[in-house]
Amino acid sequence: MSRIEGSGGGRRRVLQLKFVPDEEVLKHIADDTGIKVRKDKPQPSINLKRFVKKLENISDDEAQEILEEKNYVATLGICAQDPMGNGTSVSGGEVYSFQTPKRSSKMAELASELAHTPEQSVASDHSKGPEKTAKTPQSSTMFLLLMRVFSLLLQSKKKEFVSTTPYRLRKRLAAPDSYLESESEYSASCSEEEDEEDQQEVSTVLSGQKTPAKTKAASTPPPRNSLAKKNKEKMSNLVEEYFEAHSSSKVLTSDRTLQKLQKRRLSQETLHDLLKKAPLAYAAEIKELNQQHESLFSKWMLQLHLGFNIVLYGLGSKRDLLEKFRMSLLQDSVHLVVNGYFPSITVRSILNSITEEVLDHIGTFRSPLDQLEFITKRFKEDSSLELYVLIHNLDSQMLRGERSQQILAQLSSLPCVYLIASIDHINAPLMWDQAKLSLYNWLWYETTTFSPYVEETSYENSLLVQQSGSLALSSLTHVLRSLTPNARGIFRLLAQYQLEKKDNPSYPGLSFQDFYQQCREAFLVNSDLTLRAQLTEFRDHKLIRTKRGADGVEYLLIPVDNNTLTSFLENQDEDV
Amino acid sequence: KVQEDLNKQLLDNLVSFLSRAHSEFQEKTTEWTCRMKFREIPTAALVLGVNVTDHDLTFRSLSDFLQNNITPYIALLEAKDCPGIKNLMQKLMGQLMNCYVDVDSLEDEDYVYVSQNRIRCSMSSLIKWYESVTKKTDSETPSKKRTSSSTHWQSPPVVVIFKDMESFTTKVLQDFIVISSQHIHELPLVLIFGIATSPMIIHRLLPHSVSSLLCIELFQSLSCKDHLSTIIDKLLLTTQFPFKLGGKVLQVLINIFLYHDFSVQNFIKGFQLCIVEHFYSQPLSVLCCQLVDLQKRINSLSHDQCENIRRLPSFRRYVEEQESGKQIALLTTDNFLKEETQKLLEDLHVYHENYVSVLRCLHVFTSSLPKYPLGKQIRELHCACLENQVWETEEYESSLQLARMLNKSDLVTMLQQCVEILLSSSGKEFDKTVERLKKFLTQFQSLEAEAFQEQDVSVSSQKELQKKTDLYHLQKTLLELKESRRSKKLTKFEMLRFEVVDFIDSLVRKYLVPADHRTLHEILYFNTAAVLRGHLNAAPRTALHTALNNPHWYLKNQALKCDGGSISNKAPDICIVYKLHLECGRLINLVDWLEAFSTVVMAGEEPKADMASSDQMDDIIHARFIRAVSELELLGFIKPSKQKTDHVARLTWGGC
């Protein structure tokens, strides 16, 4: 008991920690919740704070405070209920609270469930299901689970199985021969836990069904004093679960990899092409949304001129929207578009383009701060100077740093610089502290567009997209072209050898001695020293990498993937 | 346009108000600094409170003030400019020399410009510079200087202001203080620390050996709440500005202030936004102007605008109350409507005048009651009155009851205050009220004589009490006293007190009618709190959450409609992928994810029989999955992980 009190009360001021017998606390809870109006959100920390206050004998002042707090929550509530206050009736706790760690099979389950749900009747059946099954004995839950797995099997059209279904169940279900393969996909570490997991499976299904019931109970006005207790229980549970999920280094996911999926990785272009073929869902609705946003353009303009800056948030790419804004209203004025998502953008480049393009200043600055000072001075001197700055993705990797945000904020606070920016990351508002916020002087606009982030994600090194390697290839050919024919031959030899060994995943590279031998045989070098000199040159151009093996032998490796290497060799052949 | 002109004018007024509010206490502090310098105390610690964003303005006006009255040599330093002692010195020198240029600009520009970049930034060079400057001012034709800077002293001190002391690195501060303390004889340095938290911070940042070099005087600025009160007082509770805030809007603004940032500037910003929104969205806001212009503007109203007036809900209510002949006239004749509007708006102005003064009177009464049932500040009272009919609330009941128990001296002073307020107000209807109140006052005075007599009686009874000392009799007499008091008829004083309270009550009922009961209030009042909250206190995370969980909210398509937490398989890809990833733990296997995704999507699509295209379909689904996943990565829900091949790590915990 005392532990929880301490953690709950520490927020506002230093509190006494007392050891209190449980009965007493319960008593307090009982009359405490009796007196006070409960908030509709389950917020354990505030509850706890109140208990502690009660223990300390609330003075009038504190009562006042609580009153105010209630007031605040009440007004929040009012606004949430406002017809205009759109989807925001989602309480904060619901949005990102703790969560019970779920086994990965839940995903497959949900998938099958979703696949089933187009008919409304099934959906309602499912939503009713939990409450029933939570009470029914375990065997029937097992049955339900089996049913789900069956349906899943029937559903998935490929021969492969969703690997995360419990091992034993699969064994029972499986037609023996077709599964040998998929079973082999399981690593030893996974199968050790099968037993345990099998049990957990049932229990997670149970608990997973309990939790919605619990949250439902929390949202409806419940019997009062029991809820407080439940909340507390729930919180400590959640905390434990959180740490449980994060403490174990073992991850309970299947070991399958994309390589075994027999699917080539898509390159950027093919990805583009494929996506072009896929029709954009709900185009009409999205267009309607966009038109709504576009009707705000003139308002934005007015507000920009009145000294506010505008930030757009919400799901979907806001690039097109901003582009449209630019095209329609900013044609005749000086404006600067910053593509924040571009991976090599820096504040310095933004400032440079302002000083060089807008202010026509030639010369360099020692630091961004100096540059900013210069810009400030120029803008103050010449009041007719106006500049619109559009920043796509103000929260991108490169711009989210403290210093760059500070500089941008200062820039935006200039009276003749109008900033309109978009943010996407869920934690983007954390970039700004009070001082920056007041410099930015934001007006927030929700512009959910649902349009795909085509440009924004194209620079990301997604795991799934194959790196095209075209850059590496061109650099290879360029460097090689400047070398002597002998040197080219040496490199070619190494490349060919590496390609021959491409099926060996543990290929360490070609040892120096072997390489020397081969080079001699091809009449490419005449001494150990010339080869070494050649290799040093390669290394300087980052064409090869050397590393020492366990036995002290030097191994040589070309750090380029095989496809690039093949095409490089083909190119070479063509040249010759 | 007319609207924008009005906007500008209002904004200017706002800014001047703020600076005036600031300068009030600055004058006080600067006086202190002057005195401080006579006593040769080098440091002033200015405790400014947590509203950091407002400090900028304060410091700016402070330095302006100092510059005008005390010394031309002022440097404002901010922590972010001074990561090291070298940068600090550079900044300091730069600013001081610039000041110098400002004061006597033309004479020796070359000297300054050369020095600014070349001089090695050290204390000794600073001193040299200072000596040369002061010598020059002494030796060179003093007559010219004296006229311009007569208020400056012979050797004006150099004032260095540290804007945000807490964020300076301790090392830099210590070094600077130690160095400058060694040169204090040659260079009369004065430091000013801006402190946001508490004065204790100085001792925490600086060790004793350093802080002992300082002689610190503490200055407390007014708290931000006081600023807010002044601003509300001057902006909202005047009849000067026709624009008014509705109850909910004011509540939102005050809440943001009290629970989020304590920033007066942000409050002003919100107010500005209200004005902009009002004039932008309400077509009839043309009429929101000073009474002087009203006639002209009403006459220039077009037919459409008249229709707009007729459409206002409050105006409709008004029309329905009129008799039928007038109703028709109002609804059909534009000219008659204009006349009527003119009259109604004038009424509204009169109502405001009365409202403010009566509100202040009521505030005088309620602010001294125990436990403050209607709030300590006038803004709380104002909110309550705007929200609904205040006399119907419980708090009002209880405060009236408490008011009936006030003692006489309090009551008399309150009444006097009320009389003053009403006299100073410009309302014309208050003559009678004032008379009435004055009558009350004289009655109280006449009561005093009688009160003396009563006192005699009570004193005598007390004497009796003193005679009999044993417990039994004491109890008996006390009981008797109680009995008699209960049975006794109300004294004249009590009668009078009731009368006063009832009178106040009648005033409240007459004048403090909430604004939205008045006709045509829409023209002057801004009431859409939701818009304001959306722009100032947005919740981007909630918006994302809604879009991902419930796309139907944005995309009005029947197929997306779903109940509860579930989501249909026709939802946009990113929603499906998001939903699936919620089911996972810390790490997510991409293969499983992809599979689950394709299961869902395939079920959603119409089954196509031909097998030839299925491979292509597969690829397209694969591509869609890739896009959705990289979008989630951009949004910050996942990131690639190296713990296991082909896994991504989940970054959020939560969701249902």
Side-chain angles (χ1 to χ4, degrees):
Chain A
M1 276 290 136
S2 58
R3 181 177 64 99
I4 302 168
E5 280 161 30
S7 67
R11 210 179 72 182
R12 192 168 284 190
R13 69 197 100 108
V14 186
L15 291 171
Q16 269 184 312
L17 280 186
K18 284 189 220 162
F19 280 86
V20 188
D22 283 10
E23 309 89 73
E24 219 179 300
V25 175
L26 281 183
K27 216 169 69 194
H28 274 296
I29 296 167
D31 51 26
D32 199 43
T33 44
I35 295 164
K36 276 162 196 152
V37 184
R38 287 201 48 73
K39 292 169 194 173
D40 50 353
K41 284 180 265 174
Q43 272 182 322
S45 64
I46 291 180
N47 276 332
L48 286 171
K49 202 173 74 202
R50 286 200 187 162
F51 299 147
V52 180
K53 270 186 191 161
K54 195 74 184 176
L55 289 175
E56 284 186 332
N57 283 333
I58 313 171
S59 64
D60 280 359
D61 237 22
E62 282 168 345
Q64 186 80 12
E65 240 170 58
I66 291 174
L67 202 84
E68 275 173 21
E69 220 167 85
K70 257 193 284 178
N71 252 338
Y72 178 55
V73 172
T75 46
L76 271 183
I78 288 171
C79 290
Q81 282 158 16
D82 262 333
M84 294 294 289
N86 49 35
T88 48
S89 54
V90 199
S91 67
E94 248 173 84
V95 183
Y96 299 106
S97 60
F98 286 129
Q99 180 221 27
T100 52
K102 286 166 183 162
R103 303 287 166 261
S104 52
S105 65
K106 287 289 281 182
M107 185 157 77
E109 252 174 60
L110 186 83
S112 70
E113 221 169 275
L114 287 180
H116 272 303
T117 42
E119 307 90 14
Q120 290 289 323
S121 60
V122 182
S124 64
D125 210 41
H126 269 289
S127 61
K128 267 179 207 163
E131 277 161 333
K132 265 187 243 160
T133 49
K135 286 168 204 157
T136 49
Q138 211 170 339
S139 60
S140 78
T141 326
M142 264 319 256
F143 177 68
L144 192 83
L145 191 70
L146 282 177
M147 286 292 286
R148 280 195 185 160
V149 173
F150 264 124
S151 66
L152 182 67
L153 292 182
L154 292 174
Q155 198 46 243
S156 62
K157 288 177 179 161
K158 272 163 260 160
K159 286 289 175 205
E160 286 155 359
F161 272 78
V162 176
S163 61
T164 41
T165 45
Y167 181 74
R168 286 212 184 136
L169 285 177
R170 270 199 290 136
K171 223 158 141 190
R172 262 176 254 156
L173 294 167
D177 53 328
S178 64
Y179 287 114
L180 284 173
E181 215 182 88
S182 66
E183 269 169 31
S184 69
E185 282 170 11
Y186 264 75
S187 68
S189 71
C190 256
S191 55
E192 275 170 22
E193 288 157 9
E194 293 292 6
D195 267 14
E196 190 190 3
E197 203 185 321
D198 213 352
Q199 281 182 336
Q200 274 176 350
E201 193 61 45
V202 176
S203 67
T204 44
V205 170
L206 272 174
S207 69
Q209 283 161 349
K210 257 185 226 157
T211 37
K214 221 192 252 175
T215 48
K216 227 176 266 168
S219 61
T220 53
R224 281 184 173 169
N225 47 9
S226 71
L227 183 86
K229 248 194 306 182
K230 214 190 273 170
N231 273 344
K232 207 188 287 180
E233 235 169 60
K234 203 169 145 196
M235 189 185 74
S236 60
N237 267 349
L238 284 171
V239 171
E240 272 164 29
E241 274 163 5
Y242 177 82
F243 284 113
E244 188 195 324
H246 277 251
S247 63
S248 67
S249 59
K250 218 172 268 175
V251 187
L252 296 172
T253 51
S254 68
D255 289 343
R256 303 196 307 167
T257 58
L258 287 170
Q259 266 189 337
K260 289 183 189 164
L261 201 60
Q262 299 299 317
K263 197 167 270 179
R264 65 205 155 73
R265 294 197 165 195
L266 301 169
S267 71
Q268 196 70 250
E269 288 90 53
T270 44
L271 183 70
H272 253 288
D273 292 343
L274 281 172
L275 284 178
K276 248 180 223 163
K277 274 181 220 162
L280 185 63
Y282 307 110
E285 284 84 1
I286 289 175
K287 203 173 162 200
E288 200 175 305
L289 264 182
N290 275 329
Q291 268 162 3
Q292 268 176 37
H293 301 318
E294 278 159 33
S295 64
L296 294 171
F297 280 174
S298 57
K299 194 167 172 184
W300 290 353
M301 216 44 191
L302 173 68
Q303 286 171 344
L304 284 175
H305 276 275
L306 287 172
F308 297 103
N309 291 311
I310 287 175
V311 62
L312 309 176
Y313 64 92
L315 181 70
S317 169
K318 290 161 280 289
R319 206 185 118 81
D320 292 342
L321 191 68
L322 280 180
E323 262 321 274
K324 216 171 253 175
F325 175 69
R326 186 178 76 88
M327 296 300 277
S328 58
L329 289 177
L330 301 184
Q331 273 310 332
D332 303 326
S333 38
V334 185
H335 58 263
L336 174 75
V337 180
V338 179
N339 293 325
Y341 49 82
F342 194 70
S344 64
I345 192 113
T346 55
V347 180
R348 184 173 275 257
S349 58
I350 296 174
L351 292 178
N352 275 341
S353 49
I354 292 177
T355 49
E356 282 161 24
E357 314 278 328
V358 181
L359 302 178
D360 289 325
H361 173 86
I362 304 153
T364 50
F365 295 89
R366 255 182 306 154
S367 71
L369 281 177
D370 285 348
Q371 204 163 357
L372 187 70
E373 228 159 77
F374 172 78
I375 292 170
T376 318
K377 221 162 85 189
R378 283 294 296 273
F379 272 102
K380 274 194 184 136
E381 277 167 12
D382 189 357
S383 59
S384 67
L385 220 51
E386 282 188 340
L387 175 67
Y388 294 86
V389 183
L390 286 89
I391 303 183
H392 304 292
N393 285 74
L394 186 59
D395 53 348
S396 68
Q397 218 40 274
M398 294 303 295
L399 297 182
R400 68 173 67 146
E402 205 267 328
R403 290 182 64 83
S404 22
Q405 285 297 329
Q406 179 69 43
I407 286 170
L408 285 177
Q410 274 172 313
L411 186 68
S412 73
S413 68
L414 294 179
C416 289
V417 174
Y418 312 116
L419 176 68
I420 175 164
S422 68
I423 57 168
D424 285 302
H425 198 279
I426 39 167
N427 294 328
L430 301 182
M431 292 189 295
W432 303 312
D433 56 13
Q434 285 299 343
K436 287 200 199 75
L437 278 178
S438 78
L439 279 177
Y440 271 124
N441 204 9
W442 288 129
L443 282 188
W444 298 75
Y445 273 91
E446 182 182 335
T447 53
T448 304
T449 60
F450 270 103
S451 39
Y453 294 95
V454 181
E455 289 289 322
E456 288 92 327
T457 54
S458 60
Y459 294 103
E460 247 170 77
N461 309 326
S462 174
L463 276 177
L464 293 156
V465 182
Q466 184 196 37
Q467 293 310 299
S468 63
S470 57
L471 202 67
L473 183 64
S474 71
S475 65
L476 263 187
T477 30
H478 269 103
V479 173
L480 261 279
R481 213 167 273 161
S482 64
L483 293 178
T484 60
N486 263 10
R488 261 182 261 169
I490 293 172
F491 188 78
R492 208 184 149 82
L493 214 63
L494 188 61
Q496 271 166 351
Y497 189 78
Q498 187 163 335
L499 278 182
E500 276 165 31
K501 296 284 161 117
K502 70 178 172 192
D503 295 328
N504 179 10
S506 58
Y507 166 71
L510 182 58
S511 72
F512 180 77
Q513 280 308 320
D514 291 349
F515 191 37
Y516 177 55
Q517 210 59 43
Q518 284 184 27
C519 289
R520 269 188 80 103
E521 280 161 19
F523 302 114
L524 289 170
V525 293
N526 54 7
S527 79
D528 188 322
L529 274 177
T530 37
L531 179 60
R532 280 210 184 274
Q534 219 32 268
L535 289 182
T536 320
E537 190 159 349
F538 288 160
R539 205 178 305 144
D540 289 346
H541 285 102
K542 303 224 166 73
L543 290 179
I544 61 165
R545 218 168 44 201
T546 57
K547 72 181 171 201
R548 284 196 187 279
D551 45 355
V553 185
E554 212 174 341
Y555 288 106
L556 308 169
L557 200 67
I558 304 175
V560 179
D561 63 19
N562 290 332
N563 290 336
T564 318
L565 214 53
T566 323
S567 49
F568 163 70
L569 283 180
E570 279 163 11
N571 278 357
Q572 287 278 298
D573 288 340
E574 278 168 27
D575 284 356
V576 174
Chain B
K1 272 187 141 184
V2 193
Q3 301 174 357
E4 278 193 29
D5 283 350
L6 204 58
N7 273 344
K8 287 255 168 61
Q9 184 194 331
L10 281 174
L11 299 193
D12 288 347
N13 274 325
L14 281 179
V15 172
S16 67
F17 267 128
L18 185 70
S19 49
R20 204 191 302 165
H22 277 292
S23 62
E24 271 170 29
F25 79 88
Q26 266 147 35
E27 270 168 43
K28 200 175 70 190
T29 48
T30 37
E31 267 168 37
W32 273 100
T33 18
C34 299
R35 221 180 296 171
M36 188 180 69
K37 266 169 232 135
F38 285 126
R39 278 184 267 154
E40 298 195 341
I41 299 165
T43 310
L46 209 56
V47 182
L48 288 165
V50 289
N51 47 338
V52 187
T53 46
D54 301 340
H55 295 175
D56 219 23
L57 211 59
T58 318
F59 279 120
R60 217 176 305 144
S61 39
L62 176 64
S63 72
D64 282 351
F65 186 82
L66 289 177
Q67 195 139 33
N68 291 334
N69 296 322
I70 296 164
T71 167
Y73 312 119
I74 291 170
L76 274 167
L77 296 178
E78 270 180 276
K80 62 172 188 285
D81 297 332
C82 313
I85 183 83
K86 198 177 142 209
N87 304 53
L88 190 143
M89 287 306 293
Q90 250 169 6
K91 203 87 191 164
L92 180 64
M93 304 269 297
Q95 287 197 14
L96 285 178
M97 308 221 167
N98 269 339
C99 288
Y100 176 63
V101 176
D102 286 342
V103 170
D104 33 18
S105 46
L106 290 172
E107 296 158 47
D108 35 19
E109 235 172 37
D110 48 348
Y111 159 70
V112 174
Y113 277 124
V114 168
S115 70
Q116 198 173 0
N117 289 324
R118 301 285 155 75
I119 266 188
R120 276 181 60 245
C121 294
S122 69
M123 211 60 189
S124 54
S125 57
L126 189 65
I127 290 163
K128 228 176 270 165
W129 162 79
Y130 181 76
E131 275 171 0
S132 69
V133 170
T134 42
K135 220 178 277 166
K136 238 179 235 165
T137 40
D138 286 345
S139 59
E140 272 177 30
T141 52
S143 57
K144 205 167 66 187
K145 289 281 149 43
R146 283 294 108 84
T147 49
S148 66
S149 56
S150 55
T151 44
H152 298 165
W153 298 315
Q154 285 300 93
S155 57
V158 175
V159 179
V160 182
I161 302 176
F162 294 86
K163 272 189 184 175
D164 39 358
M165 171 158 183
E166 280 96 338
S167 29
F168 275 94
T169 30
T170 38
K171 183 92 176 50
V172 173
L173 267 184
Q174 284 174 28
D175 286 352
F176 181 72
I177 291 169
V178 170
I179 293 172
S180 53
S181 73
Q182 274 159 11
H183 297 279
I184 194 73
H185 300 296
E186 298 138 89
L187 186 70
L189 206 64
V190 174
L191 305 181
I192 296 179
F193 294 142
I195 296 172
T197 48
S198 80
M200 282 303 293
I201 199 77
I202 298 176
H203 300 288
R204 208 170 305 154
L205 277 178
L206 305 173
H208 182 68
S209 60
V210 177
S211 60
S212 62
L213 295 173
L214 302 172
C215 188
I216 300 170
E217 189 101 348
L218 202 66
F219 301 96
Q220 192 90 34
S221 81
L222 286 173
S223 82
C224 43
K225 273 189 188 174
D226 295 335
H227 283 302
L228 183 69
S229 311
T230 21
I231 282 174
I232 287 183
D233 228 38
K234 288 185 175 166
L235 275 182
L236 302 181
L237 302 178
T238 54
T239 49
Q240 218 174 332
F241 304 110
F243 175 78
K244 303 280 173 200
L245 288 181
K248 264 184 201 153
V249 174
L250 186 59
Q251 196 81 53
V252 165
L253 282 181
I254 289 177
N255 276 338
I256 290 176
F257 177 84
L258 288 180
Y259 296 99
H260 289 272
D261 49 13
F262 286 117
S263 162
V264 179
Q265 257 184 336
N266 273 2
F267 184 84
I268 301 261
K269 174 188 162 190
F271 189 72
Q272 287 171 348
L273 181 65
C274 290
I275 297 173
V276 174
E277 278 289 325
H278 181 69
F279 283 104
Y280 187 82
S281 58
Q282 175 63 263
L284 287 173
S285 51
V286 199
L287 299 181
C288 180
C289 59
Q290 307 288 353
L291 264 182
V292 192
D293 308 331
L294 193 61
Q295 178 78 47
K296 214 165 55 194
R297 292 203 190 177
I298 283 182
N299 284 336
S300 65
L301 283 184
S302 68
H303 177 68
D304 283 345
Q305 279 169 319
C306 291
E307 283 302 309
N308 274 333
I309 292 179
R310 288 185 187 123
R311 247 174 263 138
L312 292 178
S314 69
F315 186 74
R316 280 193 190 168
R317 236 182 298 143
Y318 172 75
V319 170
E320 276 158 24
E321 282 161 15
Q322 309 302 317
E323 70 266 21
S324 60
K326 206 176 171 193
Q327 269 185 13
I328 293 165
L330 275 176
L331 292 179
T332 50
T333 344
D334 277 355
N335 280 335
F336 185 64
L337 177 78
K338 281 176 189 171
E339 274 169 35
E340 197 66 20
T341 317
Q342 165 98 16
K343 217 169 70 200
L344 283 171
L345 281 176
E346 271 162 16
D347 276 357
L348 210 53
H349 279 272
V350 173
Y351 156 76
H352 282 143
E353 281 169 7
N354 299 339
Y355 176 88
V356 171
S357 4
V358 175
L359 188 73
R360 282 181 204 279
C361 289
L362 184 62
H363 178 63
V364 166
F365 269 87
T366 54
S367 62
S368 56
L369 296 175
K371 280 196 177 178
Y372 312 107
L374 276 171
K376 225 189 272 191
Q377 309 281 350
I378 196 161
R379 58 165 188 265
E380 295 164 85
L381 195 63
H382 182 51
C383 279
C385 291
L386 280 176
E387 201 92 349
N388 39 33
Q389 293 172 327
V390 73
W391 56 88
E392 281 171 3
T393 58
E394 273 177 47
E395 289 87 2
Y396 183 75
E397 269 314 305
S398 62
S399 57
L400 271 196
Q401 253 158 26
L402 286 170
R404 288 195 184 107
M405 284 180 254
L406 284 171
N407 63 14
K408 198 184 72 189
S409 60
D410 281 352
L411 209 55
V412 169
T413 47
M414 280 176 195
L415 282 178
Q416 272 158 355
Q417 275 175 333
C418 286
V419 169
E420 274 167 33
I421 290 170
L422 292 180
L423 279 179
S424 66
S425 85
S426 49
K428 285 135 201 146
E429 298 177 20
F430 288 124
D431 296 343
K432 269 186 196 161
T433 341
V434 170
E435 265 174 39
R436 186 79 194 277
L437 285 175
K438 278 186 178 157
K439 214 173 91 193
F440 278 132
L441 277 175
T442 49
Q443 275 175 334
F444 273 116
Q445 243 120 49
S446 66
L447 265 182
E448 236 158 75
E450 296 168 39
F452 272 125
Q453 290 174 1
E454 268 184 42
Q455 245 175 12
D456 285 345
V457 177
S458 62
V459 164
S460 65
S461 72
Q462 233 152 37
K463 269 175 193 160
E464 274 173 40
L465 269 182
Q466 277 165 357
K467 277 176 207 160
K468 294 161 191 167
T469 43
D470 71 297
L471 207 59
Y472 172 73
H473 282 281
L474 179 67
Q475 198 180 8
K476 206 176 160 191
T477 39
L478 276 177
L479 272 176
E480 268 170 24
L481 262 177
K482 210 172 161 195
E483 286 274 299
S484 66
R485 199 167 292 169
R486 195 176 293 163
S487 61
K488 199 165 60 177
K489 276 184 76 183
L490 295 170
T491 60
K492 275 186 183 170
F493 166 66
E494 280 162 331
M495 300 269 279
L496 199 55
R497 191 163 60 184
F498 275 138
E499 253 175 74
V500 170
V501 173
D502 285 343
F503 178 66
I504 294 289
D505 186 36
S506 72
L507 273 183
V508 166
R509 275 166 206 268
K510 189 171 169 196
Y511 292 112
L512 291 190
V513 185
D516 29 344
H517 289 229
R518 306 290 306 201
T519 312
L520 292 184
H521 69 92
E522 287 96 335
I523 292 176
L524 303 188
Y525 281 81
F526 177 69
N527 239 332
T528 40
V531 176
L532 190 69
R533 176 168 282 271
H535 290 331
L536 290 182
N537 203 6
R541 292 176 71 138
T542 325
L544 265 185
H545 179 85
T546 329
L548 287 170
N549 277 305
N550 186 11
H552 179 252
W553 185 264
Y554 295 100
L555 303 173
K556 304 290 180 205
N557 191 310
Q558 217 49 43
L560 289 173
K561 203 150 196 175
C562 56
D563 28 49
S566 73
I567 194 168
S568 90
N569 49 24
K570 292 204 179 62
D573 294 344
I574 188 167
C575 300
I576 296 173
V577 169
Y578 171 78
K579 252 323 197 219
L580 290 171
H581 112 287
L582 285 183
E583 298 302 318
C584 291
R586 194 155 45 105
L587 287 184
I588 307 169
N589 187 325
L590 278 172
V591 184
D592 291 346
W593 201 2
L594 170 61
E595 210 134 287
F597 176 73
S598 65
T599 317
V600 175
V601 172
M602 295 292 253
E605 231 108 296
E606 281 89 64
K608 279 175 192 159
D610 48 337
M611 291 300 286
S613 68
S614 86
D615 198 40
Q616 204 190 347
M617 271 298 288
D618 240 29
D619 270 350
I620 289 180
I621 287 175
H622 188 65
R624 278 164 64 183
F625 175 71
I626 290 172
R627 177 174 66 188
V629 169
S630 41
E631 279 171 7
L632 275 194
E633 191 179 336
L634 180 80
L635 294 178
F637 285 101
I638 53 166
K639 67 166 191 206
S641 152
K642 286 204 169 125
Q643 245 176 314
K644 230 171 160 186
T645 43
D646 289 338
H647 274 67
V648 288
R650 208 182 137 184
L651 295 178
T652 53
W653 278 86
C656 19

